[in-house]
Amino acid sequence: MRAHLLNDTTAELYRSSVTEGVERVANKLATTKRPFTGVTPDELAPTIAAVDLDQPLGDSSAALDELERVYLRDAVYFHHPRYLGHLNCPVVIPAVLGEAVLSAVNSSLDTWDQSAGGTLIERKLIDWTTGRIGLGPAADGVFTSGGTQSNLQAMLLAREEAKTDDLSKLRIFSSECSHFSVQKSATLLGVGQDAVVSVPVDRDRRMQTVALAAELEKCRRAGLVPMAVVATAGTTDFGSIDPLPEIAALCDEYGAWMHVDAAYGCGLLASPTRRGLLEGVQHADSVTVDYHKSFFQPVSSSALLVRDGATLRHATYHADYLNPAPTVEVGAPPVPEGLRGRIPNQVDKSLQTTRRFDALKLWMTLRVMGADGVGQLFDEVCDLAAEGWRLLAGDPRYDVVVEPQLSTLVFRYVPEQVTSPTEIDRANLYARKALFASGEAVVAGTKVDGRQYLKFTLLNPETTVADIAAVLDLIAGHAEQYLGENLVHAS
Ligand SMILES: *Cc1c(COP(=O)(O)O)cnc(C)c1O
């Protein structure tokens, strides 16, 4: 069994196994005609159930053959131009190369003695990101597993900085379009999800700052503590960006921590033309970025950035076996100059302990393509969304919600003949499901003012306006079929 350990004597097996895996995936990507096969959980479950995990196959070729049936054949492929579902991006090759390297070397970024240069590479990318945001000289941050964890850590810092022992007094303000991880964080942090005040949005789905100001004033008058305002720079559904400069001013006035959730909108940091949309982000106390959304990175790759690096101490715990606290022995001789200073242990800043070297993927991406290269890709999908919006706005079959700032389109099929809103809801729901079952395209769904809508999340520069038009025809076809059948049943 030692033949399977990756070391100096097994280089040949490593090379041949990984190469074979790469070949299969490359073939798969080249021959996949649809984003999905439409397989149902019931259809696929027996295939997985039939695998006996106590009967190993012995070699990678056999395991890869099996993998074709249990995974590769029916996976949902984000690289396909008609995958328009959630916030998943096609990935760039330099990042995939980084992934292969980081898992083989397997550094763990918790302590310097488990990562060495990896720690410095991560720190340099954090500095690069805080520089692009404009957080100032004391800024710092850490890579995380995703926006959910980044938001959780931001709320932890905000809670501690609020400096009150009475958690029941704390309030968090975020727009009604903000991500559900804000509520989840509030619960996990003992603040409770009822402490999250939902601020209404305007027609463009951006937080209404007049309403925010009123809520902050109400909070103050009630003797409560405004712990944080979470501004979203790129809402998950609409890609709308809250008015950051106005929110920054209000945070200043009321002494609230300003967190910007730029999980989606962070791609603007690299955009050669759209950086201005993030104006105001430089005033944030903390910022969430998801490189695995708009930097075309494989899952997972995210970071939390903070204006004042010292606030990260709220996540610092010491263990003698890992990152002992700096101790000064009584009567000890002075420490020589070169040995002063803390060992750079990233675990001091992280909620995680053992942690992937995800930063390497972004490193390879920037070293090969540069920031402009990544930003151009994001610009392309934003341009595509603008064209898609024009298409939808001119199509009588559809009602489209807002002109996109980023790359999502939220719309709904509306039949010519008068039908009840509930029937329209059902027709749209049906169309989404039927499309998914056909595997021709994958689209997402969401609710707007209680009604069922559909959503395109455009993150693939290979998707064309013709793809969008074709998928709209498919959706209309399914919706019409549903309504046609229901009319027959009703009569
Ligand atoms: C996706 C998203 C998150 C959560 O990020 P994960 O990486 O999925 O954990 C948080 N906020 C917003 C606005 C998002 O779009």
Side-chain angles (χ1 to χ4, degrees):
M1 283 302 131
R2 289 212 205 150
H4 294 289
L5 287 173
L6 177 54
N7 59 35
D8 55 340
T9 65
T10 55
E12 213 26 71
L13 182 61
Y14 165 54
R15 206 171 278 133
S16 62
S17 303
V18 174
T19 306
E20 193 183 349
V22 169
E23 284 297 339
R24 302 237 187 170
V25 175
N27 285 338
K28 200 80 218 164
L29 298 182
T31 55
T32 301
K33 298 277 182 288
R34 296 179 294 173
F36 185 45
T37 59
V39 72
T40 65
D42 285 346
E43 282 163 3
L44 200 50
T47 315
I48 314 267
V51 174
D52 183 351
L53 292 176
D54 293 318
Q55 295 290 328
L57 298 166
D59 76 280
S60 335
S61 295
L64 281 168
D65 286 341
E66 184 183 83
L67 197 66
E68 172 65 25
R69 289 182 288 111
V70 300
Y71 175 55
L72 292 175
R73 185 185 63 202
D74 295 300
V76 177
Y77 284 99
F78 302 154
H79 76 285
H80 196 281
R82 295 201 181 171
Y83 176 82
L84 311 171
H86 302 280
L87 272 164
N88 310 107
C89 53
V91 292
V92 290
I93 294 169
V96 177
L97 170 60
E99 182 76 61
V101 173
L102 76 92
S103 61
V105 180
N106 200 29
S107 296
S108 177
L109 273 274
D110 41 344
T111 55
W112 168 262
D113 68 0
Q114 300 175 74
S115 67
T119 293
L120 301 181
I121 286 176
E122 170 164 317
R123 288 188 160 199
K124 196 172 167 88
L125 288 164
I126 289 292
D127 290 346
W128 179 84
T129 310
T130 59
R132 290 236 159 200
I133 298 171
L135 285 180
D140 199 358
V142 70
F143 271 67
T144 70
S145 60
T148 302
Q149 189 190 154
S150 298
N151 284 347
L152 172 63
Q153 186 166 358
M155 289 305 102
L156 168 70
L157 305 189
R159 187 192 70 182
E160 294 303 298
E161 289 294 310
K163 298 191 173 70
T164 174
D165 292 332
D166 187 355
L167 297 187
S168 71
K169 282 200 150 64
L170 297 176
R171 292 293 177 273
I172 300 168
F173 304 82
S174 69
S175 94
E176 54 185 312
C177 293
S178 64
H179 195 261
F180 73 169
S181 53
V182 178
Q183 277 78 9
K184 212 186 238 188
S185 301
T187 301
L188 288 168
L189 292 168
V191 176
Q193 61 170 316
D194 292 343
V196 181
V197 178
S198 183
V199 182
V201 293
D202 63 17
R203 278 179 46 213
D204 292 327
R205 311 288 149 176
R206 304 164 76 219
M207 187 192 281
Q208 287 187 29
T209 46
V210 173
L212 173 64
E215 289 291 354
L216 284 166
E217 188 54 34
K218 214 163 93 187
C219 175
R220 177 192 269 172
R221 296 221 167 147
L224 302 171
V225 180
M227 170 183 132
V229 177
V230 177
T232 312
T235 56
T236 312
D237 267 349
F238 304 100
S240 47
I241 299 169
D242 289 339
L244 303 179
E246 289 88 336
I247 291 171
L250 285 168
C251 285
D252 203 33
E253 188 181 338
Y254 287 89
W257 179 279
M258 178 182 181
H259 176 62
V260 177
D261 179 357
Y264 174 17
C266 62
L268 297 172
L269 294 170
S271 159
T273 61
R274 288 179 165 82
R275 168 65 179 78
L277 287 174
L278 283 181
E279 177 51 31
V281 70
Q282 69 275 14
H283 302 306
D285 292 298
S286 58
V287 181
T288 287
V289 300
D290 258 358
Y291 307 107
H292 63 216
K293 281 181 182 159
S294 47
F295 274 72
F296 304 91
Q297 300 292 294
V299 177
S300 54
S301 183
S302 175
L304 173 70
L305 298 317
V306 296
R307 151 177 316 286
D308 176 6
T311 58
L312 291 171
R313 73 182 179 283
H314 299 308
T316 310
Y317 286 77
H318 291 288
D320 291 337
Y321 50 77
L322 194 66
N323 59 336
T327 47
V328 182
E329 284 172 44
V330 182
V335 182
E337 188 65 47
L339 293 179
R340 276 190 212 151
R342 299 273 298 123
I343 296 166
N345 290 329
Q346 292 292 83
V347 71
D348 295 349
K349 307 171 185 176
S350 176
L351 300 185
Q352 293 168 266
T353 309
T354 305
R355 192 161 54 83
R356 291 164 53 83
F357 184 20
D358 287 317
L360 184 62
K361 296 178 286 194
L362 181 59
W363 178 269
M364 293 300 284
T365 303
L366 294 181
R367 296 313 293 142
V368 174
M369 302 167 59
D372 283 359
V374 178
Q376 271 163 27
L377 293 178
F378 191 55
D379 271 350
E380 282 180 44
V381 294
C382 293
D383 290 340
L384 177 68
E387 288 183 66
W389 184 80
R390 280 193 285 277
L391 203 65
L392 274 162
D395 189 333
R397 298 173 299 176
Y398 288 100
D399 165 35
V400 58
V401 182
V402 285
E403 193 168 352
Q405 281 187 292
L406 298 181
S407 65
T408 60
L409 294 166
V410 180
F411 57 91
R412 112 195 201 108
Y413 173 81
V414 281
E416 249 173 73
Q417 72 276 30
V418 188
T419 317
S420 78
T422 315
E423 272 307 286
I424 302 179
D425 285 348
R426 291 199 187 123
N428 279 280
L429 210 55
Y430 174 87
R432 181 186 173 208
K433 284 192 184 145
L435 195 62
F436 190 63
S438 77
E440 297 280 353
V442 179
V443 306
T446 192
K447 290 243 169 100
V448 179
D449 304 328
R451 301 259 72 106
Q452 183 63 48
Y453 275 72
L454 302 174
K455 176 168 76 158
F456 291 160
T457 307
L458 305 170
L459 279 179
N460 191 345
E462 292 291 322
T463 303
T464 61
V465 182
D467 284 315
I468 293 178
V471 175
L472 288 176
D473 286 344
L474 289 170
I475 291 170
H478 289 303
E480 278 154 21
Q481 188 196 346
Y482 173 86
L483 291 170
E485 280 173 12
N486 268 40
L487 286 183
V488 171
H489 287 162
S491 59

